[in-house]
């Protein structure tokens, strides 16, 4: 694959405990996972659906095929291994993580994060406001770093909170994406609970599926 593209690894599994099957919930005329895929393409981010090998995720694979989106099936518990195996398969050098429960992620901030990564960093962390619930952007990661980290882990190690393991590579070079003026402070735009779903659906009804982050901010303000 060409390194000229911006790749978004959509991290998704059907087995959510707090809100079961949330990636299949309707978000307008399409499901949440279809929306995430389509939003990536709208922002000219090449999506790759990265899911686990449990049977409950077969429906996710079918949606990837339906939308003509590349997909990868890997370790269920070890997210770092799953991503590492994925980027090896598709020969990707740099990528951005996109959570399937962040329907209003900002494509422009994803590109901004990747641009910073290409200055020689191993990881660009999400902006502070995004991590506090704003859900605008994920991690930009150099695949060489990820593959090196994977070698330090046990095969079935649970690495869902992957950032907790980054420190295993002592000479890593990291930075954090600065907040933007329209980042949401004290606003929850991620999908974990049913009340989140109602709120996000109201936003979608008023703004559509492809509203920019700035437009979303101004509407809420």
């Amino acid at each position: 694959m060409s390194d000229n593209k911006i790749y978004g690894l959509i991290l998704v599994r059907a087995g959510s405990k707090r809100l079961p099957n949330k990636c299949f919930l309707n978000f307008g005329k399409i499901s949440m996972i279809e929306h995430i895929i389509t939003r990536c393409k709208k922002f000219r981010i090449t999506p790759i659906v990265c899911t686990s090998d449990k049977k409950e995720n077969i429906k996710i694979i079918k949606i990837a095929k339906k939308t003509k989106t590349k997909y990868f099936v890997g370790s269920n518990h070890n997210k770092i291994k799953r991503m590492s195996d994925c980027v090896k398969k598709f020969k990707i050098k740099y990528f951005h993580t996109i959570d399937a429960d962040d329907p209003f992620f900002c494509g422009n901030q994803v590109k901004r994060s990747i641009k910073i990564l290409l200055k020689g960093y191993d990881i660009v962390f999400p902006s502070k406001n995004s991590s506090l619930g704003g859900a605008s952007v994920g991690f930009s990661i150099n695949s060489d770093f990820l593959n090196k980290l994977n070698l330090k882990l046990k095969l079935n190690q649970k690495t869902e909170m992957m950032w907790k393991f980054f420190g295993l590579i002592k000479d890593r070079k990291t930075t954090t994406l600065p907040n933007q003026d329209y980042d949401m402070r004290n606003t929850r735009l991620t999908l974990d609970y049913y009340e989140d779903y109602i709120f996000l659906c109201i936003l979608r009804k008023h703004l559509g599926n492809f509203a920019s982050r700035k437009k979303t901010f101004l509407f809420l303000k």
Side-chain angles (χ1 to χ4, degrees), residues 8 12 19 22 32 34 44-45 55-56 79 89 93 98 146 148 151 163 167 172 185 190 197 199 202-203 210 221:
V12 56
L19 185 58
K22 61 184 178 181
M32 184 65 72
E34 287 177 272
R44 296 183 181 179
I45 296 166
K55 288 184 179 180
E56 62 195 18
K79 181 193 282 188
K89 177 182 177 179
K93 191 169 184 180
I98 296 176
L146 186 73
K148 190 188 301 183
L151 294 175
W163 56 89
R172 67 195 182 281
R185 295 190 69 180
T190 192
Y197 177 58
F199 175 60
I202 291 170
L203 281 182
F210 306 117
K221 186 177 180 181

Side-chain angles (χ1 to χ4, degrees), residues 9 12 26-28 34-35 40 54 60 79 92 96 98 103 116 121 135 156-157 161 163-164 166 178 189 202-203 218:
L9 260 61
V12 56
N26 290 333
F27 202 60
E34 287 177 272
H35 160 77
C40 280
K54 295 193 75 174
I60 293 174
K79 181 193 282 188
I92 296 170
H96 192 87
I98 296 176
I116 293 173
Y121 290 98
N156 291 313
Q157 191 163 349
M161 305 300 180
W163 56 89
K164 293 183 178 181
F166 290 163
L189 289 174
I202 291 170
L203 281 182
L218 293 173

Side-chain angles (χ1 to χ4, degrees), residues 116-128:
I116 293 173
L117 184 76
L118 293 176
K119 293 180 179 179
Y121 290 98
D122 294 309
I123 312 164
V124 178
F125 283 77
S127 64
K128 183 178 179 181

Side-chain angles (χ1 to χ4, degrees), residues 6 20 34 49 53 77 91 97 104 117 123 130 132 136 138 140 153 155 168 184 187 206 211 216:
I6 293 177
E34 287 177 272
V49 172
D53 53 11
H77 293 301
K91 299 179 181 178
T97 64
F104 288 103
L117 184 76
I123 312 164
S130 180
L132 290 174
S136 58
S140 288
L153 302 171
L155 189 63
L168 292 175
M184 313 295 176
T187 303
H206 284 278
T216 307

Side-chain angles (χ1 to χ4, degrees), residues 1-7 46 48 70 90-95:
M1 286 189 171
S2 171
D3 284 337
N4 293 327
K5 295 181 179 178
I6 293 177
Y7 292 100
T46 302
I48 298 177
K70 294 184 184 297
F90 293 110
K91 299 179 181 178
I92 296 170
K93 191 169 184 180
Y94 307 104
F95 67 93

Side-chain angles (χ1 to χ4, degrees), residues 28-64:
K29 296 181 180 180
I30 55 179
S31 66
M32 184 65 72
I33 181 60
E34 287 177 272
H35 160 77
I36 296 290
I37 291 169
T38 307
R39 189 171 172 93
C40 280
K41 293 177 180 178
K42 184 76 173 179
F43 281 99
R44 296 183 181 179
I45 296 166
T46 302
I48 298 177
V49 172
C50 190
T51 191
S52 82
D53 53 11
K54 295 193 75 174
K55 288 184 179 180
E56 62 195 18
N57 296 316
I58 290 175
K59 188 176 178 181
I60 293 174
I61 296 169
K62 289 180 178 179
I63 290 172

